[in-house]
Amino acid sequence: MNPQADNRTSPAGHVARSALSDADLLHRHINGDPQAFSELVRRHRDRMWAVALRTLGDADEAADAVQDAFVSAYRKAESFRGEAAVTTWLHRIVVNACLDRMRRKAVRPVADDELIEAAERDTPLPDHTGDREVSLEVSAALRLLPPDQRAALVLVDMMGYSVEDAAAVLEVPSGTVKSRCARGRAKLVPILSHLRNRSERARVSSAKGARLRDG
Amino acid sequence: MTGDTHYDLETLAELAEGLLDDATAQQVRDHLAICDPCGEALADLAGVREVLAAMPVPAMPLGVALRVDKALAAEAERRRAGAPLDPGPAFPEPDWDRIMRDAPWETGAPWEEPAAAGERVADLPPLESPRLVPLAATASAGEASLDGTPVAGAPGPAKVNGSHRPEAPADEEPGTVVPLLASAKRLDGPSADERPQTAPEAASADDAAAKRPALGVVAEDGSIVAPKRRTGSARRRWLVSLSSVAAAAAVVTGGVTVTNTVLAGGEQTPVQQTVAAPSASAPAERTEPTQETLSADVDGQQERGSRFVIGESGYNYADAELKANLVAYFGSMPSGGSASGDAKLNRCISKLVAAEKSDPIGIDRAYYNGNEALIMLFWHNRSQDLVKVRVVSPECKNLRKPGLATWN
């Protein structure tokens, strides 16, 4: 197929491209279609962003990781052999980019009380309740897990992928994914409940304060 | 298990995942049937899953999406320019034995002539001596690595000289190999103004090996790589810059006094060395492998990377310095004109330049908290004298979050 004849600019060409499967798009990209990879990116960037942001817990880091990952995927498209879904392959590249980043960072504290202290430091005390607050708590708590456990939890519990899919992305056996998830959840329980109680106390005390103030 | 003893969360989580063996699982279930706290803990674990699942899925912010698009457009540009999709890690080391096969020293010309100043430099010493004042060394580091190269050989100017560089700034193949009949003294530590001015001084510090005349190859790092005769390939470090090759290209004046001018940060530092007269057996047919022989694979990116002057202060930066005024560290670097022949380095520089979308105002090969690092500065806000500091490893990975420093 001659990519040049592919009506790059015509609506027809666009429609045709958006109807293609991921694998077809990747194939076209390898064969020189300059638009094919962009279409792949458009399709998957939100998911890749979600994975990176949750895994890294930091928007700047996530942006770097996602960019690196997409550029890397662009370059090594030929290494995709079709043995897995394109999405699995893309996820793998993103997750690996994130894991690389995390592993280069300083070692996190591991003792539970240190974890909780660190989570408190990382989470500003909210002035009102809401999704945003929970989401801050969760990402602060996640940041305290070892990278492997975090990646497993992001894929399975947060993104909702099956253990088998997560195992394919992480290139580890399913049992390993399960055990990383189990250990990660076990660590999250005390951290999250502590943060929740703290918010609860803050809310109660600010409600009291409001009552006193307002008479 | 009853009473005050409970299963820990991890065991309960493993039970929930079906990871426990049957016997243990049964024990835990029996316990759960009678233990409220453990039942609550199990519920808490399920609650964690729910909280995680309920987290909203964020869409990629527009800024990030644009950034990714831009990076991919740069990739596409690169691809159009003929780069392969996967450039690989690779700029394989050239086949030195093949390239150098016909070189006179490989064919066993005797070389027991006396030499004066000379030191065989087969490898660069590690940059482990952080200098307190990097600025003196930064600009000239590359050049200084082969300072005052005496070139003894056939009368007449050496073939290689500074003009070699501008034609081929993008020679990314490790090894603009310039076979020279050379005795070299490589000075790594001292900055320009501390250099010994004469060869005898230099020679006095040398060991016995210095007495050996060196028929050498100027490697890309500017060091003289003494040829290994009939042995495998020498250990070589592909470092520093082509400019050092230029610096290495000394004027040959019949073999008595060589004056080599090292351009260091705009200052001229003449270095004089006395060298031995060339030996009678010195082959006249010095060859100068061209870029062709070395099959330089040039593409636009490398060309960009090699445009910049790269300091090599060896300074060990810490966060405090990288947040403060960096003029003192980078200000003395010359702007433009020099080149790097290190492909990996160039790729990395190009990558950062592409990411920052501007040319760096300073590049220093140095250390960050004791780790080898490439420090690059970009204008963040010129009117406020703010520079953006990028610190990356030799593998071009961020060692530090991009940060801001001042420049005034």
Side-chain angles (χ1 to χ4, degrees):
Chain A
M1 182 184 307
N2 179 0
Q4 296 308 318
D6 197 28
N7 301 327
R8 272 207 252 173
T9 49
S10 82
H14 182 72
V15 169
R17 204 175 279 107
S18 60
L20 289 169
S21 73
D22 287 350
D24 288 340
L25 283 170
L26 202 59
H27 193 67
R28 284 190 175 212
H29 165 64
I30 293 166
N31 288 330
D33 181 341
Q35 303 298 312
F37 198 80
S38 307
E39 173 65 26
L40 266 182
V41 171
R42 266 192 294 279
R43 276 184 200 181
H44 300 295
R45 63 185 168 200
D46 284 347
R47 266 205 286 178
M48 298 304 147
W49 172 251
V51 168
L53 183 63
R54 289 160 165 190
T55 308
L56 289 166
D58 178 294
D60 287 343
E61 289 271 332
D64 283 348
V66 166
Q67 177 178 330
D68 287 355
F70 274 128
V71 168
S72 164
Y74 184 103
R75 288 186 186 168
K76 58 186 190 190
E78 276 159 341
S79 76
F80 175 73
R81 297 269 176 253
E83 78 281 5
V86 172
T87 44
T88 304
W89 176 75
L90 273 177
H91 274 90
R92 187 180 301 152
I93 295 172
V94 170
V95 169
N96 284 337
C98 295
L99 289 175
D100 282 350
R101 272 168 194 280
M102 286 191 278
R103 288 181 184 132
R104 278 198 307 272
K105 285 186 165 179
V107 180
R108 298 280 182 186
V110 282
D112 276 359
D113 49 346
E114 287 176 60
L115 285 178
I116 288 168
E117 278 172 28
E120 275 189 347
R121 272 201 307 279
D122 287 359
T123 318
L125 204 56
D127 20 352
H128 56 84
T129 179
D131 289 347
R132 166 127 184 97
E133 172 193 323
V134 174
S135 140
L136 278 176
E137 284 171 8
V138 170
S139 41
L142 273 174
R143 267 204 294 276
L144 303 170
L145 300 183
D148 286 343
Q149 294 174 17
R150 213 186 318 176
L153 282 179
V154 166
L155 294 175
V156 175
D157 284 0
M158 302 182 84
M159 303 301 293
Y161 301 142
S162 71
V163 168
E164 288 68 32
D165 285 349
V169 168
L170 298 170
E171 294 179 291
V172 297
S174 297
T176 306
V177 174
K178 286 183 185 175
S179 121
R180 286 177 186 171
C181 286
R183 292 207 304 271
R185 289 177 202 132
K187 284 209 183 77
L188 284 180
V189 165
I191 303 172
L192 282 174
S193 77
H194 177 86
L195 292 177
R196 202 171 305 143
N197 290 342
R198 189 177 63 137
S199 311
E200 204 61 48
R201 282 196 303 274
R203 257 198 305 284
V204 169
S205 63
S206 71
K208 269 185 191 156
R211 266 201 307 279
L212 286 172
R213 183 192 65 214
D214 301 335
Chain B
M1 192 184 291
T2 53
D4 293 336
T5 318
H6 302 292
Y7 284 106
D8 60 23
L9 281 162
E10 199 166 314
T11 308
L12 296 173
E14 283 171 357
L15 173 78
E17 277 298 329
L19 291 165
L20 298 179
D21 63 72
D22 290 348
T24 316
Q26 193 53 52
Q27 273 180 16
V28 179
R29 276 196 213 101
D30 290 346
H31 173 74
L32 279 168
I34 54 165
C35 178
D36 286 346
C38 282
E40 278 166 26
L42 195 64
D44 285 345
L45 281 166
V48 165
R49 297 197 67 168
E50 280 166 24
V51 169
L52 292 179
M55 289 278 282
V57 179
M60 181 182 274
L62 186 62
V64 179
L66 289 174
R67 218 183 110 173
V68 169
D69 285 350
K70 213 166 243 177
L72 290 173
E75 272 308 300
E77 195 54 50
R78 205 177 136 277
R79 190 182 177 187
R80 262 194 295 282
L85 262 188
D86 183 3
F91 290 90
E93 182 164 322
D95 182 350
W96 290 107
D97 290 334
R98 183 181 60 75
I99 291 169
M100 304 315 288
R101 189 179 47 214
D102 299 327
W105 48 83
E106 294 289 4
T107 54
W111 56 353
E112 41 282 321
E113 301 77 33
E119 182 182 1
R120 174 173 165 265
V121 180
D123 209 344
L124 273 179
L127 297 163
E128 65 206 352
S129 52
R131 290 167 198 140
L132 284 178
V133 188
L135 63 95
T138 45
S140 60
E143 291 88 335
S145 67
L146 181 71
D147 133 21
T149 310
V151 181
K159 278 288 186 190
V160 281
N161 54 43
S163 68
H164 175 73
R165 174 163 42 88
E167 274 97 62
D171 177 14
E172 62 168 54
E173 195 67 34
T176 295
V177 180
V178 186
L180 290 177
L181 281 165
S183 303
K185 169 71 187 131
R186 185 176 177 287
L187 297 168
D188 190 60
S191 57
D193 46 356
E194 299 168 328
R195 280 179 215 140
Q197 294 297 301
T198 59
E201 280 175 39
S204 66
D206 292 343
D207 57 17
K211 298 298 170 215
R212 190 166 152 226
L215 277 168
V217 175
V218 177
E220 180 196 50
D221 58 7
S223 61
I224 297 291
V225 178
K228 292 250 174 101
R229 288 198 278 182
R230 289 175 291 280
T231 59
S233 53
R235 265 178 73 227
R236 297 176 177 92
R237 273 189 67 175
W238 310 115
L239 279 183
V240 200
S241 74
L242 260 184
S243 59
S244 49
V245 175
V251 182
V252 177
T253 61
V256 182
T257 302
V258 175
T259 302
N260 182 22
T261 302
V262 179
L263 285 170
E267 291 173 14
Q268 293 203 333
T269 310
V271 177
Q272 293 198 324
Q273 293 201 343
T274 309
V275 297
S279 71
S281 67
E285 69 283 7
R286 278 171 294 136
T287 55
E288 182 185 343
T290 61
Q291 270 76 49
E292 264 171 59
T293 24
L294 294 169
S295 68
D297 173 17
V298 177
D299 75 33
Q301 272 207 317
Q302 266 81 29
E303 213 153 19
R304 279 178 71 75
S306 55
R307 257 197 354 248
F308 307 114
V309 179
I310 300 156
E312 190 167 355
S313 71
Y315 185 72
N316 191 3
Y317 290 93
D319 277 325
E321 287 128 333
L322 293 175
K323 285 176 187 159
N325 184 6
L326 287 171
V327 166
Y329 299 92
F330 285 78
S332 66
M333 291 194 187
S335 56
S338 187
S340 161
D342 186 284
K344 195 170 134 198
L345 178 64
N346 283 344
R347 275 201 303 277
C348 182
I349 291 171
S350 302
K351 189 178 144 198
L352 290 186
V353 168
E356 297 297 335
K357 300 180 230 24
S358 75
D359 284 352
I361 54 177
I363 308 176
D364 190 11
R365 292 181 58 131
Y367 286 78
Y368 170 64
N369 288 341
N371 299 310
E372 225 177 298
L374 184 69
I375 323 279
M376 284 179 75
L377 305 186
F378 298 87
W379 278 119
H380 178 72
N381 185 329
R382 215 162 175 150
S383 57
Q384 292 173 17
D385 291 327
L386 283 177
V387 290
K388 185 166 181 187
V389 184
R390 298 286 308 254
V391 181
V392 297
S393 68
E395 286 71 46
C396 212
K397 306 287 185 191
N398 276 322
L399 290 174
R400 176 180 184 270
K401 261 192 184 177
L404 294 182
T406 55
W407 186 266
N408 49 31

